[in-house]
Amino acid sequence: MDGDLVLKMPFILRLVNSRKSALSTIIASNLFILLIPLAMGLFLYAKVEQSLERSTTRSNVAMLEQLKLSLDNKLSEVDKLMRQVVFDPKLDYMLRIPANSSDVDKYEFIQFMRDKMSKYHSMTSNFILDYYVYFASSDTIVKSDLVTDSRTFYSIYYAYKNMSYEGWRQLMDKLHSVDYLPVNSLSNGLDQAPKDVITYIQSLPIHSQSQNLGNFTVLIDVDQVKQLFAQLESANHSSVYIIDNAGKTIMSNSESPFPSDLLGRIQESTGPFDYRLGSVDQVVSVTSSQKAGWKYVSIMPNDVFMQQVNQIQSWSIGLFILCLICGLVAVSIGAYRTYKPLQKTVNAIMRGKEMIMRPSSNEYEFIRQTVEGSIHEEKNLRMTLAQQIPFIQANYLSRLLNGRMDVDISVENGDSLQFMNLAFTSDCFAVLIVKIEDIHDLAEEDEQQWAHARFIISNIGTDLIALNHKGFSVELDRDRIVLLINLTPNREKFAESDIREIAESLFSITSQRFQIGMTIAVGGVHSGPKAIRDSYPEALAALEYRLILGKHATIYFQDILDVKQHYYYPLEIEIQLINFVRSGDTENVVKLLDKIYSMNFDSSHITPELGRCLFFNVISTFLKIMNSTNTNQDEVLGSDFDPIKEVFSYPTAQGMYTKTKELYETLTRSFTWDRSDHSTQRLQEIIGIVHENLGDSNLGVAQIAERIQMTPQYLSTFFKKHQGQNLLDYITHKRIQQGKQLMENKELTIVQIAQKIGYNNDVVFIRAFKKLEGVTPGKYRETMLPEIIGADT
């Protein structure tokens, strides 16, 4: 071995000369370690007793500090858990839920337990025995796996030794701000051994100091704290006390109470000091925790304290000699042996990476970078796969819905679906299609609100299905979601009633709680490999009846099977409608259209296809009248107006009917307005409206058209034809004339004049004035207005 080392020395020396070589770092580190015994020996020979006493003191304080840090670290877990719970956005609302609340409010506690409390439970360690939230208004206790009232909770689950239920309620109703109660024995009422706990209490809501609507309580397992005490107790046989700001002993590993005369000294002292307890000299060490405001006090007998000093003093010389000899051997032999595996590891990595040159950095740094890169690549791969799982699942369910594949519940196929979190309990399915009709205060292009609505419906729907069956959701479009119900084998006979209850509950919760309007279409229940492809078309067919039944309905396929294949629109009715329109009889036109709609749609036994066909025929009659009378469509309806597209743009029969009736009323009135005497009267009426409402900033074509029951397009055409001027230009001209009259009053500013004649701001008024008069209002008032007034006088 020594000969082999001699042969390797030139290679080692070359690596040592490179500052970045790992071998040079190993040799330097070993030489540094070799120098440590020498430095310690010199120091120990100079002041052995003083140095060792100080070292022992530091060791004792460090262990006490380690206990504090360890316990503070555990308490950070309590603080983190507290913040996750008390800052939950729903908690403030739940604290104010009364005892006699509705089922929807009570469901909030269950949802809070399932979605929040149980999730936090998986994040806690054994240090936290349990935790729960007490809601005073509703007298409810919610923990990770339970929702119950306070008396049941205290009598069955957690009861303090020597404390009645009333005493516990008084404790809960007090105002607490990060309070830790001393160790107390806790039993769960299930004939199990009592458990010692430290109780942490925080009153709720946390942002209010004047009201106590409940509290958040954490039970800390004392056994876990004792394990932290064990290291310090076994090392120096000391008594350790945890004292809070009020001087109460939170916990101790000693049966003796904390000496009362020490309370004042530990508040003042920051370092170890001597103390005589009984007839024995003691050394007291104190450290403070800013986390919980506690003081950690260690009381150790002096002979135990100095025992380590004396032992280390006698061992120092022997260890110095031993370390010096062993260190010289370790530096010469161990450096090469340490570097050899490292060199092989680097070579193996280089072969795997197909690198040409050796790494220029330190070998340890090279290995670290390689390992970190591999871990990062693995994490990215897993993250990418996890992100794709919802899309893969949605794609698979979409193929099932569209009939591109059949349901397979065999064991082999079930194993293949595990990677996308899918598992079917039976081959019996039903399909629900939810179409979102409207959302409260939703802007049309607000995609975030649409996504939020889909998320709410998907989660509530799958939760309702999960009560008795298994459910999956698939987003088909921005406003359409499919809920796939996989029926439980032992509840197939209740399938029909369960599905109706799911649909009604989903409609009720989303509309009342979240103000989301929807239409739900329900397909039939089917079994076998083609169950989904059979139920989905039925749900689509049911959704088509939204045209007949309107929005915000729940439509079942079984309820629409009894339909008739004809509609009511006889030839004589069409002839009457044509005559009424051409004679300008608006009242009879409306009555006849109402009769046609009532005869066909009030019974709800007409198919959507026939309903569209009926409206197409009625609009065809409308076009026949216009063609036979040579009516100018651009004047009556406006340019580029397509009545067929306009009517069929509405998703429901009621919307189509309203638009159809509006078109017929407009056409009927056009036959009346075309008479000269009536046209003159109508023109004067329009001009009168303009003169009376010049000060209204909303005055425009749409407002006037609504008042005289014309379409805006026809009103513009009619006014220009009979007045020879565009209506908006006429309004602007009249406003400027009135503004010029108001300028004669020197007390009115330009802004006030603009407001009086219907402009929201003076900028628009100034632009319009300059366009008509060639000068700004201010210039007109300064120059032209005095000349006009002088000429008049």
Coordinates of all heavy atoms in Angstrom, one line a residue, residues 9 42 163 399 491:
M9 N 2.2 9.8 -5.7 CA 2.6 11.1 -5.2 C 2.7 12.1 -6.2 O 2.3 13.3 -6.0 CB 3.9 11.0 -4.3 CG 3.7 10.3 -3.0 SD 2.5 11.2 -2.0 CE 3.3 12.8 -1.8
L42 N -2.1 23.8 23.9 CA -1.4 25.0 24.3 C -2.4 25.9 25.2 O -2.0 26.4 26.2 CB -0.9 25.8 23.2 CG 0.3 25.2 22.4 CD1 0.6 26.0 21.1 CD2 1.5 25.0 23.2
M163 N -61.7 19.3 35.9 CA -62.3 20.5 35.3 C -63.7 20.1 34.7 O -63.7 19.2 33.9 CB -61.5 21.2 34.3 CG -62.1 22.5 33.7 SD -61.1 23.2 32.3 CE -59.7 23.7 33.2
R399 N -63.8 11.5 -24.9 CA -64.0 10.4 -25.8 C -65.1 9.5 -25.5 O -65.8 8.9 -26.3 CB -62.6 9.7 -26.0 CG -61.6 10.5 -26.8 CD -60.3 9.7 -27.0 NE -59.6 9.5 -25.8 CZ -58.7 8.6 -25.5 NH1 -58.4 7.7 -26.5 NH2 -58.1 8.5 -24.4
R491 N -77.1 0.9 -5.2 CA -78.2 2.0 -5.2 C -78.7 2.2 -6.6 O -79.3 3.3 -6.9 CB -77.5 3.3 -4.7 CG -77.2 3.3 -3.2 CD -76.9 4.8 -2.7 NE -78.0 5.7 -2.9 CZ -79.0 5.8 -2.1 NH1 -79.0 5.1 -0.9 NH2 -80.0 6.7 -2.3

